[in-house]
Amino acid sequence: MRRRMTEHATAVVSALLLATTASLPAQQAPALTGPMGAGWDTGPALELVERSVARRALPLADTLLQQYTAEAEGTVQFLLESEAAGGVVPLRLDQVAVDLYWQAPGRSRQAIRALRKQDLLPIRQFHYYADRLTLVQEGFGDRIAIGDEQDVRGVPHPLSPDGPLHYHYRLADTLTLHVPGLGAPIRVVRVEVQPRDASLPGFVGDVFVDAEAATLVRMQFTFTPAAYVDPRTERIHVNVEHGLWEGRYWLPYRQELEVRRQAPEVDFGVSTLIRAQMTVRDYDFDTPVSIPDGMPRITFPAGEGDVSRFSETLDEVAVRQGLTVLSADDLAAGFTGPHAMLRLLNRQPDGLPTLRFHLPSFSSVLRANRAEGAVVGGGLSLRPGAGTLVTLHGGYASGPAHASVRVAAARALGGATLHLAARLNDVQEIEPAPEAGLFLNTVSTLLAGRDWTDPYYVDGVGAHLRAGNARLWWSSGVDVERHASADAAWTDSPWADGALRPVLPVDAGSRLRAVASLGWRSDDVAPRLTVNATTSAGAFEGDAFATLLGHAAARVPTPGVPVNLMVQVRAGASIGALPPQHLYLPAGTRTLPGVPPTTLAGSRFAAAGTELSAPLGRVGPVPLAAYAALNGAAVAGRTHVPEQWEVNRGAIARAAATVGLSAYGGIVRVDYSHGLPGIAEWRVRVGPAIAPLL
């Protein structure tokens, strides 16, 4: 008789998840330490480990279990994580259904019954290693391997016979579970594990053990850098959970694997992630199982197999797991300022080289605009120790014939990250300036004679502290800077007819500023709301000023209609001594297409917009959507605007209507806009998840 998860198993698994999630952050193992301190390798810790080692050496049949079959279902996500964009871009989603078989005294096999995938972006086709698509049935062997030994191999299991020769152990939390129907409570102990020699391949993390039976209940771990075989591997995390079945058998319930990779030679600020998760739906302990000699441990279906086995469609899985391409509201919810180095919150050493070339975007290597002319550059990144990252980037601008330098350092401090930065001849833009996609701006400048940016130069130093989680985050810091106008290096586009618009002058001088930001995002329920605010105060050439900039965005549900509705509101105000760089320009291609950039300028502004999009289906492998948007903005405080900006002083509000087509969830967009009143404008754009990489 096939049995769904019993109430006993459900209670035990739920309690374990709650307790261990509270005691240890998800996907994060304890950082490697120096010499062991108090509590390590005590008698009780070693005695429990010794009993658990002995228990693992016994066959499951010793508990009277003779056989089982089970059904499991899982997904594999292939993602691109951009530090510049502060989020992930889904590339591919796979779905797998697996049958598990086990026969006493220790023979097992797995049959993949159904397997299907959906490409969310055009990528090179490849096949996953088998452990992305299957389940660990017996808590790994005495030597742990990942990815058919191409990711990790030869790592001693902490509960193998020679485990104590390789590891230190310390008792941590003890969880007591009172399960209805069981005569005695269950005590589960979390045992922290650290390698004796971190320079060797090793396990770093926790094992959870039934205190009475010494049975392995759960493992949550990563590895030492020496364990990684593939030089691209940054870090691998594994979580294996067992459930209590029939009140006596700890058998696989859930498994999660994350493999994070980067280019070993060059730090692009981009990682690829493979996230595989598998959950067992039910067990059958009564149907006889016979596994013949010579049968493969894993078998695959012909084609997709029996896709009726899946409880959800791929589209339903994508929605449930939040696999949507980052939109403008997602990015506005991120930390203000550079997103890079947020990975430092996990201070576990990784497998990448200490020193690499640092090329955070294509435009950091080569770009062009009317102020700098042609710019070439490059950089280095250095990680002197776990939780610390230093980057250096330099470039040369042909227009002003000067070099530019940016140096940044970040250090993980508990749950926060301290960022230090210094820059010389760095380019900054007048607010509000959403990401332009500087590569596309280069193409537009050279081929169409339209430069979207409004730059000026900054020299200075700053220190910022950033912290938070997926729902609430904050940052604060201090900057000391020197500002200067950027002169026009090009008045005409090199390869297009027509003059480039003038570079807006700003006031030269010194600025001291304190700045703070706060952001919040609602749970993943409709409407999805994101709010972000940044405030600053300081002095420019000794005269005080203050600024406030806020943004709110919501994805609004449209019941019964397959469309996506998003509403956004932005507003800002500057008071006090107002050099032009503290004004706002809420018009132009990036903010209000079809309205010339200097039509609206002032010390206060408000803007709102709404966009409605609907899927059109696929043209070949390309998913398409249509969208329509209406945006508007108004400004006040226009007496602060310099005369040389040549602003239309009579215009205080404008709007723009847009229609267009997007591909791959908004990664690529082609649209037509018209200012109200204003001009017609065609645009080719990339989504905000990709723009920072360009």
Side-chain angles (χ1 to χ4, degrees), residues 322 324 329-330 470 521-530 553-557:
T324 55
D329 63 311
D330 295 315
R521 176 185 287 138
S522 65
D523 288 327
D524 290 330
V525 295
R528 172 83 173 270
L529 179 64
T530 302
R555 289 181 180 155
V556 182

Side-chain angles (χ1 to χ4, degrees), residues 333-346:
F335 295 96
T336 56
H339 295 280
M341 310 178 198
L342 296 183
R343 67 176 183 264
L344 292 172
L345 291 178
N346 188 330

Side-chain angles (χ1 to χ4, degrees), residues 204-225:
V204 184
D206 296 326
V207 294
F208 299 77
V209 177
D210 184 325
E212 180 179 353
T215 306
L216 178 64
V217 173
R218 183 183 182 189
M219 297 197 300
Q220 183 172 282
F221 62 96
T222 183
F223 300 95
T224 59

Side-chain angles (χ1 to χ4, degrees), residues 368-370 440-453 492-493 496-501 588-590 593-597 679-684:
N369 57 67
R370 69 191 189 284
L440 291 184
N441 186 70
T442 296
V443 174
S444 177
T445 300
L446 295 177
L447 301 184
R450 296 171 60 194
D451 184 349
W452 306 330
T453 62
D492 298 291
S493 173
D497 295 332
L500 292 163
R501 64 187 178 93
T589 295
R590 287 183 284 164
V595 179
I679 60 174
E681 183 174 329
W682 283 95
R683 297 185 298 175
V684 177

